[in-house]
């Protein structure tokens, strides 16, 4: 496991003030910026695309962790890489050729990740873990911000971490996304997660820096 990474999700930010949000998050010592991309098909909502990612790229030096909750993500990988994504995660449920898609992400110069919905078993990534830099365990059903954390997902985290350890994949990051806050972060960290997406918990707080520091401390305990 790596040191804790906090990746605030700008899905919970004021979309009219995204530049200001990114500046504030960098000052608050966030580690990554999590960018939720939704197409209105794979998930109900529709969010941002490559032009917005490109427009936001000059606002911060923090890595962009782009989470593609879209159908046929392989058709959009190059656009997001060129727009400024540093990391791109795709959903296993949307990728019949997951091995190829993860290889494409790396060929584009980005770190690759695979995301799993709550109903998707850990076993689906067993044969491609060596191609992934990150496994994103969804701790809510994707598509909406502000949902309650699903505690049962900690068992999936444990299975993936154990499999990664068995394969000697010490650099594999397990990222959790959904309902993560100072209240829930310790539980998923103890299960084996080391990367934490937080939206509402940060953007509804009065002090970004204090919330991020609190989450890192609890994840490290």
């Amino acid at each position: 496991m790596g040191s804790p990474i906090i990746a605030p999700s700008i899905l919970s930010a004021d979309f009219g003030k995204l530049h200001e949000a990114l500046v504030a998050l960098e000052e608050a010592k966030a580690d990554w910026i999590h960018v939720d991309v939704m197409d209105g098909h794979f998930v109900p909502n529709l969010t941002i695309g490559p032009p917005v990612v490109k427009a936001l790229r000059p606002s911060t030096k923090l890595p962009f962790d782009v989470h593609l909750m879209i159908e046929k993500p392989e058709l959009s990988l190059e656009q997001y890489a060129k727009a400024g994504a540093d990391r791109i995660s795709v959903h296993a449920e949307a990728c019949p050729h997951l091995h190829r898609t993860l290889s494409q992400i790396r060929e584009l110069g980005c770190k690759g990740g695979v995301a799993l919905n709550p109903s998707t078993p850990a076993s689906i990534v067993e044969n491609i873990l060596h191609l992934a830099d990150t496994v994103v365990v969804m701790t809510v059903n994707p598509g909406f911000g502000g949902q309650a954390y699903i505690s049962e997902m900690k068992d999936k985290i444990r299975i993936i971490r154990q499999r990664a350890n068995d394969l000697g994949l010490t650099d594999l990051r397990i990222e959790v996304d959904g309902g993560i806050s100072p209240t829930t972060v310790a539980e998923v960290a103890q299960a084996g997660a080391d990367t934490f997406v937080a939206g509402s918990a940060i953007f509804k707080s009065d002090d970004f820096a204090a919330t991020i520091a609190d989450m890192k401390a609890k994840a490290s305990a």
Side-chain angles (χ1 to χ4, degrees):
M1 288 175 57
S3 57
I5 291 287
I6 305 297
S9 170
I10 59 172
L11 181 65
S12 296
D14 181 342
F15 272 29
K17 298 180 179 179
L18 288 177
H19 167 74
E20 293 86 347
L22 295 184
V23 171
L25 290 170
E26 185 167 345
E27 291 176 349
K29 301 192 182 305
D31 299 291
W32 300 349
I33 299 298
H34 190 78
V35 182
D36 287 303
V37 175
M38 305 180 189
D39 63 358
H41 298 282
F42 182 71
V43 293
N45 278 337
L46 184 65
T47 56
I48 65 178
V52 176
V53 174
K54 183 177 180 180
L56 292 175
R57 183 64 278 184
S59 298
T60 178
K61 295 178 181 178
L62 295 179
F64 276 6
D65 178 36
V66 176
H67 178 188
L68 298 182
M69 288 172 271
I70 64 176
E71 294 181 354
K72 299 182 179 179
E74 65 277 4
L75 302 180
S76 301
L77 299 176
E78 186 172 1
Q79 295 179 62
Y80 284 98
K82 288 183 176 179
D86 298 281
R87 314 180 71 93
I88 300 175
S89 294
V90 298
H91 270 263
E93 304 85 1
C95 291
H97 307 292
L98 188 54
H99 187 286
R100 179 190 302 162
T101 302
L102 288 171
S103 299
Q104 288 176 321
I105 293 171
R106 287 188 169 181
E107 289 168 4
L108 289 167
C110 298
K111 299 286 188 181
V114 54
L116 304 179
N117 285 342
S119 62
T120 302
S123 59
I124 201 168
V125 297
E126 182 173 353
N127 294 322
I128 53 81
L129 278 182
H130 64 291
L131 286 175
D133 298 288
T134 307
V135 175
V136 183
V137 176
M138 296 300 300
T139 43
V140 298
N141 288 290
F144 302 91
Q147 297 183 71
Y149 160 72
I150 302 173
S151 179
E152 291 82 2
M153 293 303 104
K154 62 181 179 292
D155 295 329
K156 185 187 296 187
I157 296 167
R158 288 195 185 98
I159 292 169
I160 296 170
R161 178 58 70 195
Q162 185 60 58
R163 182 58 178 163
N165 290 343
D166 291 345
L167 294 172
L169 300 174
T170 56
D171 292 334
L172 180 75
R173 287 202 162 269
I174 297 182
E175 182 173 329
V176 284
D177 183 357
I180 303 303
S181 70
T183 303
T184 59
V185 68
E187 179 176 305
V188 289
Q190 289 166 6
D194 56 13
T195 305
F196 311 93
V197 176
S200 300
I202 292 175
F203 283 99
K204 289 185 178 180
S205 70
D206 295 326
D207 188 331
F208 290 1
T211 303
I212 290 170
D214 185 25
M215 291 180 66
K216 282 190 178 183
K218 288 176 177 174
S220 300

